[in-house]
Amino acid sequence: MPAASTTLRMLAVSVIASLTVTGCQSFEDAGRAMGRSDLVNDLAARLDRALELTYSADYQLPDAQSAAIVQAQDPVRSAYTYPGGRLTVTPDATTRCTATDGRTVCTLVPPPTPGSKPTVALFNEANQQGLVTPPVVVGMLTAAALDPAAEIKQSDTTVAGHHAACVEVQRSEGDFTACVTTEGVLGSFTGSVDGEPVEVALSRYSDSVPSSAFDVPAGASVVDNRPGGQ
């Protein structure tokens, strides 16, 4: 099982443990805590399974813009494409590409340490450009589950022809709604991330990945900041 998958499962377990009912809690508090625990566990388990899948997902953003998430196994690789850039994580490098005035520059840095997953901070640029990533959604849901004042409601819907479970979260730090498909893929998200409004909706899902999905874009200038890089 990939290390990222294990990390998400440990995250869900830690949240459940932190919400375990003590003798000082009322039955009403216990019910609310267990509801949040079950919800976090379910969504984390779905995202956990998705980390072991090969798939490509296209997303619709506001103003007719688009984004995409692509993932493959053996070896584990992922690519996040958003307006103006792309982030690719492979065993060889973490590659961040930025397109400005028709020119694309890709910077390569060492990949995450073997056995670990990319940090949430790695996805900041994607968040700022309108693509919220699954690790960020898990973090937001976990924070909400640990917030005793948060209101969390669950519902079901269909996104791009795929059944999805949704959560509507209301809390002082900001409201958001997230849907996760049965496969474990992010179906939709509406809310605020790092102070920026974000709205994404799955428009296409496939269990296949183009062979060039993790390549540096043709014609891009490459800056290799890895040890020994040119």
Side-chain angles (χ1 to χ4, degrees):
M1 180 177 295
S5 172
T6 302
T7 303
L8 280 176
R9 180 174 291 114
M10 292 178 65
L11 173 63
V13 171
S14 67
V15 170
I16 292 173
S18 67
L19 295 173
T20 300
V21 180
T22 68
C24 298
Q25 290 178 300
S26 67
F27 287 111
E28 180 180 357
D29 290 338
R32 292 183 63 191
M34 288 307 294
R36 290 194 184 96
S37 299
D38 292 343
L39 184 56
V40 170
N41 187 49
D42 177 66
L43 292 183
R46 291 190 185 197
L47 292 173
D48 186 12
R49 289 194 299 271
L51 291 172
E52 301 174 13
L53 298 178
T54 292
Y55 74 88
S56 56
D58 294 337
Y59 291 91
Q60 185 66 46
L61 308 182
D63 301 325
Q65 294 185 309
S66 61
I69 297 176
V70 181
Q71 185 173 286
Q73 310 298 319
D74 300 324
V76 176
R77 294 156 292 164
S78 58
Y80 306 84
T81 303
Y82 41 86
R86 186 174 74 172
L87 172 69
T88 304
V89 182
T90 72
D92 297 322
T94 294
T95 305
R96 192 186 304 276
C97 298
T98 303
T100 305
D101 298 329
R103 179 171 179 265
T104 300
V105 177
C106 295
T107 302
L108 282 63
V109 298
T113 303
S116 68
K117 70 169 185 174
T119 63
V120 172
L122 186 65
F123 302 109
N124 284 345
E125 185 173 343
N127 297 337
Q128 293 294 321
Q129 298 303 320
L131 176 61
V132 61
T133 60
V136 173
V137 175
V138 171
M140 293 179 68
L141 181 60
T142 301
L146 294 172
D147 181 355
E151 295 292 335
I152 302 176
K153 300 178 182 179
Q154 185 173 10
S155 61
D156 295 286
T157 190
T158 300
V159 184
H162 295 262
H163 177 267
C166 303
V167 289
E168 179 183 347
V169 177
Q170 296 179 337
R171 60 192 304 250
S172 60
E173 283 75 6
D175 303 341
F176 68 90
T177 301
C179 298
V180 179
T181 70
T182 302
E183 295 86 354
V185 175
L186 181 64
S188 65
F189 178 92
T190 302
S192 179
V193 180
D194 296 334
E196 296 290 335
V198 175
E199 182 177 352
V200 304
L202 182 68
S203 58
R204 186 189 69 87
Y205 171 83
S206 173
D207 59 6
S208 62
V209 172
S211 58
S212 60
F214 309 102
D215 296 342
V216 172
S221 299
V222 176
V223 178
D224 194 344
N225 288 336
R226 295 173 297 177
Q230 301 297 319

